[in-house]
Amino acid sequence: FSITDPITTLGYVDRLLITCEAYHIPAVVLFNKVDQLDEAGLKKLADFQEIYTQCGYPTPAISATDPAYADTVRELLQDKVSFLVGRSGAGKSTTINLVEPTLDLKVGQISAFSGRGRQTTTFAEMFDLSFGGHIIDSPGFKEMVIFDFEESELSHYFPEMRPYLNECKFSNCIHVSEPGCAIKAAVSQGELPDSRYHTYLGMLHEIKDSGW
């Protein structure tokens, strides 16, 4: 993910992570383009890292155009099957080129007009890694649509909420307006990230509207 060029929102990252949790896929929140960040951008990066570290995710930050970060990425990928996802222009193909330069994947540029990446990867493709493992490059996408989730199970896909779930007054609590909700109490006390709770409420609303 990139903090800027293109901008990545917390909600976008949350939806990807929730999908990983639902399908038991270990996730890493990898931030790219740190070399392009000014003071405000570095502050935003630190805020993002604090949120996702609190949720239990590794949050390394790199510049995929700087060979000095190659070993950091190789350690994440070695002997695994990894899938890179994110917005167009965030540097997925550039990151693969960083650790496996011989692949020489085509990379795109950010549009100065829209601030969005130009898509160069048009289908998912898997590559062997010379140091062990495989990596899948994917086309960038704007939004992540959540489907086939039940209201009662959604909170289980937020790992930071799990320690509180058995502390709610009601066993069928969905953490919206119920009295004695441990999740709401933890958010109000700053023990859980407010942004993640708002993502949860938004997704819960989508599930209700969809009728799934």
Side-chain angles (χ1 to χ4, degrees):
F1 304 105
S2 54
I3 297 297
T4 184
D5 294 330
I7 294 172
T8 300
T9 64
L10 290 169
Y12 181 90
V13 180
D14 288 341
R15 287 169 177 267
L16 288 171
L17 292 175
I18 290 157
T19 301
C20 289
E21 292 291 337
Y23 292 96
H24 308 289
I25 301 171
V28 173
V29 183
L30 178 64
F31 294 99
N32 187 25
K33 303 188 179 183
V34 295
D35 57 311
Q36 299 180 16
L37 299 179
D38 57 14
E39 185 176 350
L42 290 171
K43 173 63 167 60
K44 186 175 180 181
L45 170 63
D47 290 343
F48 274 39
Q49 288 178 306
E50 182 179 3
I51 289 169
Y52 293 111
T53 298
Q54 184 178 352
C55 298
Y57 297 105
T59 60
I62 68 164
S63 170
T65 58
D66 186 344
Y69 290 97
D71 285 345
T72 297
V73 181
R74 288 191 183 105
E75 289 177 7
L76 296 172
L77 304 177
Q78 189 170 18
D79 299 327
K80 301 181 180 73
V81 177
S82 303
F83 188 28
L84 292 184
V85 294
R87 293 189 183 278
S88 297
K92 298 182 296 297
S93 298
T94 305
T95 299
I96 295 176
N97 285 339
L98 173 68
V99 297
E100 207 66 83
T102 57
L103 291 174
D104 194 23
L105 301 182
K106 184 179 180 181
V107 298
Q109 302 295 322
I110 300 297
S111 167
F113 175 74
S114 66
R116 297 175 180 174
R118 297 186 178 97
Q119 190 152 277
T120 55
T121 303
T122 55
F123 58 92
E125 186 173 5
M126 185 164 71
F127 303 97
D128 296 332
L129 296 172
S130 60
F131 50 89
H134 311 275
I135 191 163
I136 302 169
D137 193 12
S138 68
F141 50 89
K142 296 178 182 178
E143 299 294 339
M144 184 73 184
V145 177
I146 302 299
F147 62 94
D148 202 26
F149 286 175
E150 299 288 341
E151 291 180 23
S152 59
E153 68 178 320
L154 181 61
S155 59
H156 293 267
Y157 303 140
F158 288 75
E160 71 277 19
M161 293 185 182
R162 291 174 192 152
Y164 298 88
L165 295 179
N166 291 330
E167 298 180 15
C168 291
K169 182 176 180 179
F170 300 103
S171 61
N172 61 346
C173 183
I174 58 171
H175 324 299
V176 178
S177 57
E178 301 88 342
C181 174
I183 297 296
K184 290 194 300 176
V187 173
S188 66
Q189 294 166 12
E191 297 174 9
L192 291 176
D194 185 71
S195 66
R196 294 271 289 175
Y197 181 63
H198 282 291
T199 295
Y200 169 81
L201 293 178
M203 293 178 62
L204 197 66
H205 182 71
E206 291 176 23
I207 292 171
K208 289 180 177 180
D209 284 349
S210 69
W212 288 320

